[in-house]
Amino acid sequence: MALRDISFFNEDIDYKIKDKQKIRQWIGATVTAEGFDRIGELNFILCSDVYLLEINKQYLDHDTYTDIVTFDSSEEDHVIAGDIFISVERTAENALKFGVSERDELHRVIIHGVLHLCGYVDKKKEDKELMTAKENEYLSKRAF
């Protein structure tokens, strides 16, 4: 698994993500457990609420704040690739709302985006329950 193909960027904020290499390894283990052969180019763009709102409006025609928008650019079977935009402001606010650490909420959203690229959806209640169960499963497998 080419973990070097997992990159982290900032847009419109000054934020330093901790444990990048450990996060890469965790994502790699998740992708393998989900039956994928490898990770293509996978970009995490950490941004502000305003930046992600504009992405949401421009590409999805949604005029709402969100914590994550995932774009799948996979071109081969059994390979995941894409761009995952995450509002650090929204994840911090949600951490307070749900009574969890900002780090745990950010990691939940990171793995949520990865699970979308693995084919999981979360529009219906049953799908959302499965997605949350998968998030919890992989969060529990973090070794850091």
Side-chain angles (χ1 to χ4, degrees):
M1 187 89 37
L3 301 179
R4 69 182 176 282
D5 292 330
I6 302 172
S7 301
F8 298 91
F9 302 97
N10 290 346
E11 283 294 338
D12 199 32
I13 59 162
D14 183 22
Y15 185 83
K16 185 158 175 72
I17 193 163
K18 294 179 175 85
D19 299 317
K20 284 182 192 175
Q21 193 55 29
K22 290 177 182 175
I23 292 171
R24 286 182 182 104
Q25 291 167 346
W26 175 53
I27 291 168
T30 299
V31 169
T32 299
E34 287 296 323
F36 288 82
D37 297 333
R38 67 182 184 87
I39 297 172
E41 187 176 318
L42 181 56
N43 299 307
F44 290 90
I45 301 93
L46 305 173
C47 59
S48 68
D49 271 348
V50 171
Y51 188 89
L52 193 52
L53 177 62
E54 289 307 310
I55 296 284
N56 214 7
K57 284 192 227 178
Q58 182 177 351
Y59 295 100
L60 302 176
D61 204 26
H62 297 162
D63 190 6
T64 55
Y65 288 103
T66 187
D67 52 2
I68 186 169
V69 172
T70 304
F71 294 102
D72 189 341
S73 60
S74 303
E75 295 181 355
E76 301 172 51
D77 289 341
H78 303 289
V79 177
I80 71 158
D83 295 321
I84 299 174
F85 291 82
I86 298 173
S87 168
V88 175
E89 294 171 328
R90 186 73 24 207
T91 58
E93 188 175 303
N94 286 344
L96 283 173
K97 179 179 168 183
F98 300 129
V100 298
S101 71
E102 288 183 23
R103 174 184 175 268
D104 283 352
E105 185 62 15
L106 178 62
H107 289 179
R108 177 178 296 281
V109 174
I110 285 171
I111 215 65
H112 181 92
V114 171
L115 289 169
H116 273 308
L117 294 177
C118 291
Y120 291 91
V121 294
D122 59 359
K123 295 297 179 203
K124 296 181 193 161
K125 183 179 182 226
E126 314 84 56
D127 295 335
K128 194 173 281 198
E129 288 171 356
L130 176 59
M131 177 75 92
T132 300
K134 283 290 188 175
E135 291 167 8
N136 291 337
E137 175 187 343
Y138 291 117
L139 282 168
S140 75
K141 291 181 177 182
R142 282 181 305 180
F144 60 100

